[in-house]
Each structure stands twice: as C-alpha cells, then as structure tokens.
Amino acid sequence: MRSLRRWTKDSVGLLLVFTVVGLSRAWPPKWMLRRIAASAEVRAEREAAEEKLLTRVREIEAGVPWLRPLDVVIHDECVDVRGNHISFFGASPSRRQSMTCRMSAYIIFSTDGDPEDAAAEIHRSFPLPEGLSAVGIAESLHWDTDERKVAPDVASKAVRTRVTRRHGEKSLGQLRKEHGVLCMWALYGQTYFTVV
C-alpha cells in the first residue's frame, strides 16, 4: 500500500513537471507572437534592417556598373522557432527563443558572358565580405547551373512574412526566357528582433 502511494505521488509529480515544461514551450501563444511582430517596436527595427539592406543594394549597384538588376527581392519574416529545438533538459539561450525576425535581399541579374567570369570580376573589383560585413550582412553569389537554378529563399511557414519586389511580378522562369542564365547576389541580414 505504501509503495502504491509513493508511486502515485511520484507519477503525479512527474506529470506536473512535464505539464509545466510543455506549457512553457507553448508560451507565448502564436496570436501573441503575431501581435508582437506587428508592434511599433518591431516595425522600427524592421525599417532599420530594411534600410541597411537597401543601402547595401545601392552600393552594389553603384560599385558594379554593368550589373543591372532584373529584380530585387526583399524577404522579411518572423518565425516561431520553438518547434526547431525540442529539448526538455539543458536548453541553451538560443533554444529558449520563441520568435526571430530576419530580413534578406536578393538581387537577380543576368550577364552577357560566362557567369563564372562575371563572379570573378565582381570578386576582383568589389570583394564580398568574408562572413558578416561590418553592418552584419553575409553575402554570396550564385548562378543557374544544369543541376540547380537560382531562387530566393522565401518559402516558409512564418508568423509574419512579407516579400517585396522592385521590378514587378515577372517569375524567374519568365526572366530566364527573356535573359538566359540568371545570377543572384544574396544578402542575408542578421536577425533584427528576437522574442525570448
């Protein structure tokens, strides 16, 4: 009888611990994350992040005179990251985050010559920063190959997402038909807002 009471007490205690941990993983709820993502504080951070990216886009356009963008895509998203790190024990600070907001830009362009030669010319005359630049932007160059076609990474299940395009709504397929091989200069901005 005594062991049954002890087993019941231990089981209830364990159930309580898992309930508290489970509820803490679901807090704040998604509706609250959406409200935070739309708040004035996050909007101000979003505008600053966008200005930083657009300043870099303008520097690239001025620094590489032959590069004429066919499109500039800005992707802004706030993502619920709780499901990405399921762990009940030993969670690091990054695993305690609920939501992160980040923004990236993609310059889509074409070149008359070989894309590898164009990339080499860009690296010689306008070096890309290794890792993150002084303003916290990582950059990379890609172009269409037989194995892989360039495409901005804008598909996600985000709490909030916004995609803006500078030059209209032509699809990448339409741009390829009109201009041939596409190149993409990707600018990955750092996270501009985090909810812990």
Side-chain angles (χ1 to χ4, degrees):
M1 191 65 144
R2 183 182 278 175
S3 65
L4 181 60
R5 279 190 214 145
R6 183 180 175 107
W7 180 84
T8 304
K9 185 178 172 183
D10 289 346
S11 296
V12 169
L14 193 55
L15 181 61
L16 182 61
V17 166
F18 281 111
T19 301
V20 169
V21 169
L23 289 175
S24 69
R25 301 294 294 164
W27 186 261
K30 281 199 185 275
W31 67 265
M32 189 177 287
L33 293 178
R34 282 190 286 277
R35 184 175 287 174
I36 293 169
S39 70
E41 179 184 6
V42 177
R43 194 168 38 252
E45 295 294 328
R46 180 177 297 121
E47 289 169 1
E50 185 170 15
E51 183 53 38
K52 189 187 307 183
L53 276 174
L54 291 175
T55 297
R56 181 65 180 144
V57 168
R58 288 188 291 271
E59 287 172 0
I60 290 167
E61 291 172 329
V64 185
W66 58 264
L67 189 151
R68 295 287 174 246
L70 303 173
D71 205 353
V72 176
V73 179
I74 304 289
H75 180 229
D76 172 35
E77 66 180 355
C78 293
V79 179
D80 182 346
V81 294
R82 292 174 293 196
N84 297 340
H85 307 291
I86 297 174
S87 172
F88 292 115
F89 307 104
S92 67
S94 64
R95 292 181 180 197
R96 288 194 298 257
Q97 294 176 351
S98 298
M99 180 176 71
T100 59
C101 298
R102 57 186 170 253
M103 189 178 298
S104 300
Y106 304 92
I107 305 170
I108 308 296
F109 63 100
S110 187
T111 179
D112 293 332
D114 184 289
E116 289 186 41
D117 293 340
E121 182 182 335
I122 287 170
H123 284 290
R124 276 193 308 276
S125 61
F126 200 84
L128 273 65
E130 300 251 344
L132 293 177
S133 69
V135 292
I137 299 172
E139 299 179 29
S140 62
L141 278 172
H142 308 279
W143 53 89
D144 287 344
T145 64
D146 292 336
E147 297 82 34
R148 185 174 172 206
K149 304 298 185 199
V150 298
D153 182 17
V154 296
S156 71
K157 295 180 180 177
V159 171
R160 182 196 178 282
T161 188
R162 180 182 61 132
V163 177
T164 56
R165 300 178 67 173
R166 182 195 291 173
H167 297 294
E169 295 301 320
K170 285 187 180 179
S171 71
L172 293 178
Q174 291 171 309
L175 292 174
R176 278 187 188 91
K177 283 181 185 175
E178 294 174 14
H179 302 279
V181 173
L182 294 182
C183 302
M184 181 174 74
W185 194 320
L187 296 87
Y188 304 102
Q190 286 183 313
T191 297
Y192 64 83
F193 193 83
T194 301
V195 176
V196 179

